[in-house]
């Protein structure tokens, strides 16, 4: 019986030839990740284990990103605890403010995760790295603590749902629209406990940033991981970045899937996900008149240079609507610099938008754009839960960068096609 | 254990269980003071030690924040019963020792305010108010070992000290 790419990676990390869905394994990890919110709890738990040291100081990444630069004294204390731990254990991959990025953009860009790796992170969007053919999944702080000590994690081998995307994408449609459409189709628990394997000719044509966006949101369908088989696009992306040996796995033709879902992409319009669940998706043509107070382009979902270029192409020579605050946040310092050098920063600022250094900030309602009671935002982020971006009566609409930028100009949720 | 039920619907997410504005602390009691606040503002005031949360599908979906099960546990909740749990919440609960049970029939047969008795070892759930009995799925062996060890940290400590 054939194995999926997910099974092959997991088998290789627990010393077996093959593994079956439902099997509980202890898998070796190639990277353990934490941020300024989850790592402090993990550090407290790690101390309780009484391990002499971390399992491998090169295989732990600590990224302060959620409340960065420190938004208040309590956040500063958390960041400090993480920094002190990094110093004490000589953690190689600690990224200070000014050199950091949003973890899920930074970690693959730094070449810390490569095809065939097993990565766990105390952050639910750790599933992002499936885009380069790694098995990566979000866990809690206690898992992170145990993995920092043992270099292992307990996992249940997931069943796999195969998604086959075919057809040519319409203008302004990208990875964000494909994944929002998919979640709209299967629901926020449509892939619960399962792996989502994204395949098909449309995926083969999709650039890396769109693949990252898709795998990033696997968790929004309840998925354990999202994964795409490495191909030329992947190898091109990692060529300059790879720092360790990697293994390219592919699913066998006779691999067993829990379900196969085919999606015709030629009919998909830009998507908007209505409050308060990512599954409440509508095509842009059916959105109606929804006035907004804020537009956000950024987050681990859409904070890559290509996302900023897309937003800038809509904003170039235009102004943000007088009633709207627009906030643009690049994913890493490198992307920030690139946006400055390419002139994107100038486009944003001239349009009347805020252009910030990397942070999660408004994505989780932390700072840098928190919503007041009753306010509405369109955002390229990944969650529109009750109160996610601020007050419990505020609302978040999820979309891709071009829709967010067009909406900022129009003052209501709008398609880039509406702008002449 | 016996407790009074607080019942919720589908997709109760971690932002509702503990909103991000309180994530600048790791103190369980501070977290408990805001537990469930964005779905049920009165919860922190009305919850009593031993109470049980019952919910429909996909309880705990969203972020990986362990603050969510920590807040529920520190609020005094003795057990969460749901039709299904989001997977990170599920593993976090087991790892930190918050008892959880998956039992769709029990969720359908329990109403808000009911008095419910739970036996974690056998997975037996009894609705004292209505007199109905339910049987939850037992945990796989490895998870039983984790629970018996008192959570993942104790398990890891045993592993470290034995090697
Ligand atoms: S950008 Fe948002 S979703 Fe991504 S890691 Fe930060 S808070 Fe989480």
């Amino acid at each position: 019986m054939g194995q999926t790419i997910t099974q092959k990676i997991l088998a290789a990390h627990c010393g077996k030839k093959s593994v079956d869905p439902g099997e509980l394994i202890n898998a070796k990890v190639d990277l353990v990740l934490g941020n300024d919110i989850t790592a402090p709890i993990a550090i407290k738990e790690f101390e309780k284990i009484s391990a002499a040291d971390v399992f491998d100081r090169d295989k732990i990444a600590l990224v302060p990103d959620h409340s960065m630069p420190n938004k208040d004294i309590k956040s500063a204390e958390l960041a400090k605890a993480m920094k002190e731990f990094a110093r004490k254990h000589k953690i190689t991959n600690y990224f200070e403010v000014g050199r950091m990025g949003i973890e899920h953009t930074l970690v693959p860009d730094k070449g810390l995760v490569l095809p065939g790796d097993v990565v766990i992170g105390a952050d639910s969007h750790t599933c992002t790295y499936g885009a380069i053919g790694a098995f990566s999944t979000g866990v809690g702080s206690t898992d992170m603590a145990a993995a920092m000590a043992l270099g292992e994690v307990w996992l249940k081998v997931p069943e796999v749902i195969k998604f086959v995307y075919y057809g040519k994408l319409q203008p302004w449609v990208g990875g964000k629209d494909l994944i929002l459409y998919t979640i709209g189709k299967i629901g926020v628990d449509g892939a619960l406990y399962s792996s989502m394997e994204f395949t098909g000719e449309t995926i083969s044509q999709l650039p890396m940033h769109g693949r990252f966006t898709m795998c990033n949101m696997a968790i929004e369908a309840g998925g354990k991981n999202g994964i795409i088989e490495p191909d030329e696009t992947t190898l091109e992306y990692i060529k300059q970045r790879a720092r360790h040996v990697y293994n390219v796995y592919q699913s066998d033709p006779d691999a067993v899937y829990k379900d196969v879902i085919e999606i015709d992409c030629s009919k998909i319009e830009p998507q908007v996900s209505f409050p308060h669940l990512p599954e409440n998706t509508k095509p842009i043509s059916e959105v109606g008149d929804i006035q907004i107070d804020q537009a956000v382009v950024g987050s681990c979902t859409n904070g890559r240079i290509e996302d900023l270029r897309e937003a800038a192409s809509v904003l170039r020579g235009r102004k943000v609507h007088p009633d709207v605050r627009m906030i643009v946040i690049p994913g890493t310092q490198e992307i920030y610099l690139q946006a400055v050098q390419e002139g994107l920063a100038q486009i944003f600022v001239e349009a009347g938008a805020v252009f910030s250094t990397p942070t999660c900030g408004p994505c989780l309602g932390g700072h840098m754009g928190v919503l007041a009671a009753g306010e509405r935002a369109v955002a390229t982020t990944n969650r529109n839960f009750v109160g996610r971006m601020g007050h419990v009566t505020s609302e978040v609409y999820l979309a891709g960068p071009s829709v967010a930028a067009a909406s900022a100009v129009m003052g209501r949720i709008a398609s880039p096609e509406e702008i002449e | 254990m016996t407790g009074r039920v607080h019942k919720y619907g589908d997709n109760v997410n971690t932002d509702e269980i503990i909103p991000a504005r309180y994530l600048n602390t790791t103190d369980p009691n501070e977290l408990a003071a805001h537990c469930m606040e964005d779905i049920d503002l009165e919860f922190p005031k009305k919850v009593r030690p031993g109470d049980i949360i019952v919910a429909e599908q996909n309880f705990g979906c969203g972020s990986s924040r362990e603050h969510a099960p920590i807040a529920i546990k520190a609020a005094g909740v003795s057990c969460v019963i749901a039709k299904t749990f989001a997977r990170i919440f599920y593993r976090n609960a087991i790892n930190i020792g918050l008892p959880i049970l998956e039992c769709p029939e029990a969720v359908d047969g329990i109403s808000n305010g009911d008095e419910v008795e739970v036996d974690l070892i056998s997975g037996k759930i009894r609705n004292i108010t209505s007199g109905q009995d339910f049987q939850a799925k037992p945990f796989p062996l490895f998870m039983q070992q984790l629970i018996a060890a008192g959570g993942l940290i104790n398990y890891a400590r045993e592993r470290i000290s034995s090697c």
Side-chain angles (χ1 to χ4, degrees), chain A residues 91-340:
Chain A
I91 305 292
T92 330
N93 296 302
Y94 168 77
F95 298 92
E96 190 49 91
V97 169
R99 281 138 276 172
M100 50 64 109
I102 300 172
E103 53 197 309
H104 309 307
T105 314
L106 184 76
V107 164
D109 272 7
K110 290 282 180 197
L112 296 177
V113 47
L114 294 172
D117 284 354
V118 167
V119 180
I120 60 156
D123 190 277
S124 59
H125 294 100
T126 304
C127 53
T128 309
Y129 323 132
I132 54 177
F135 173 88
S136 63
T137 193
V139 296
S141 296
T142 299
D143 280 306
M144 181 188 173
M148 285 198 297
L150 300 171
E152 283 180 9
V153 63
W154 68 269
L155 293 169
K156 189 158 120 186
V157 179
E159 294 187 295
V160 184
I161 305 173
K162 181 176 178 173
F163 294 84
V164 186
Y165 296 85
Y166 64 93
K168 195 171 173 301
L169 295 181
Q170 292 187 26
W172 303 110
V173 171
K176 184 61 162 286
D177 306 293
L178 295 186
I179 192 67
L180 287 181
Y181 180 86
T182 305
I183 297 166
K185 198 174 159 78
I186 67 172
V188 292
D189 60 355
L192 193 61
Y193 305 132
S194 302
S195 168
M196 300 172 82
E197 191 174 320
F198 303 119
T199 70
E201 57 178 29
T202 316
I203 302 298
S204 303
Q205 302 291 317
L206 198 66
M208 273 321 289
H209 72 279
R211 299 183 186 190
F212 280 120
T213 305
M214 289 190 72
C215 291
N216 174 272
M217 289 193 71
I219 179 70
E220 260 45 79
K224 182 168 198 139
N225 67 320
I227 198 160
I228 296 171
E229 287 180 348
D231 60 9
E232 277 170 24
T233 305
T234 326
L235 299 181
E236 180 61 31
Y237 170 80
I238 62 169
K239 202 166 69 186
Q240 304 296 329
R241 300 181 161 92
R243 296 277 178 281
H244 60 263
V245 185
Y246 61 89
N247 294 295
V248 171
Y249 294 95
Q250 242 120 31
S251 295
D252 292 325
D254 59 341
V256 179
Y257 292 94
K258 179 184 171 188
D259 204 354
V260 177
I261 296 173
E262 302 208 354
I263 294 176
D264 178 358
C265 302
S266 65
K267 308 223 161 52
I268 297 177
E269 291 178 38
Q271 302 285 305
V272 177
S273 167
F274 277 51
H276 288 286
L277 282 177
E279 70 185 22
N280 298 334
T281 51
K282 286 187 189 177
I284 189 77
S285 60
E286 290 172 22
V287 162
D289 183 18
I290 297 186
Q291 310 281 322
I292 56 160
D293 304 282
Q294 181 164 305
V296 177
V297 172
S299 87
C300 59
T301 314
N302 285 111
R304 300 192 155 266
I305 191 70
E306 296 86 351
D307 298 313
L308 301 191
R309 284 183 196 137
E310 188 179 311
S313 75
V314 175
L315 283 179
R316 190 187 308 268
R318 301 199 168 86
K319 294 282 180 213
V320 170
H321 190 277
D323 296 338
V324 176
R325 307 178 293 266
M326 184 174 195
I327 301 167
V328 183
I329 307 177
T332 66
Q333 286 285 104
E334 264 172 59
I335 296 170
Y336 180 70
L337 181 59
Q338 215 176 336
V340 170

Side-chain angles (χ1 to χ4, degrees), chain A residues 273-278 280 382-386 388 396-398:
Chain A
S273 167
F274 277 51
H276 288 286
L277 282 177
N280 298 334
N382 46 46
R383 287 194 177 128
N384 52 0
F385 297 156
V386 170
R388 173 75 178 178
V396 179
Y397 294 73
L398 305 175

Side-chain angles (χ1 to χ4, degrees), chain B residues 107-138:
Chain B
V107 174
D108 287 335
I110 295 175
S111 309
N112 196 28
D114 282 358
E115 203 71 29
V116 166
E117 187 179 55
V118 174
D119 185 310
L120 282 176
I121 314 270
S122 64
K124 283 200 168 43
I125 301 169
R126 184 173 171 76
N127 186 340
I128 298 174
T129 308
S130 72
Q132 277 177 290
D133 287 311
F134 308 97
Q135 178 66 49
K137 276 180 262 173

Side-chain angles (χ1 to χ4, degrees), chain A residues 124-125 183 188 217 219-222 273-280 363-365 371 381-398, chain B residues 11-18 38 58 60-65 86:
Chain A
S124 59
H125 294 100
I183 297 166
V188 292
M217 289 193 71
I219 179 70
E220 260 45 79
S273 167
F274 277 51
H276 288 286
L277 282 177
E279 70 185 22
N280 298 334
C363 173
L364 80 161
L371 300 176
T381 55
N382 46 46
R383 287 194 177 128
N384 52 0
F385 297 156
V386 170
R388 173 75 178 178
M389 202 172 271
H391 193 273
V392 61
T393 62
S394 62
E395 293 181 344
V396 179
Y397 294 73
L398 305 175
Chain B
N11 303 315
V12 173
N13 66 68
T14 50
D15 280 89
E16 289 167 328
I17 298 171
I18 184 75
D38 279 0
N58 203 25
C61 63
S63 94
S64 68
R65 61 187 72 157

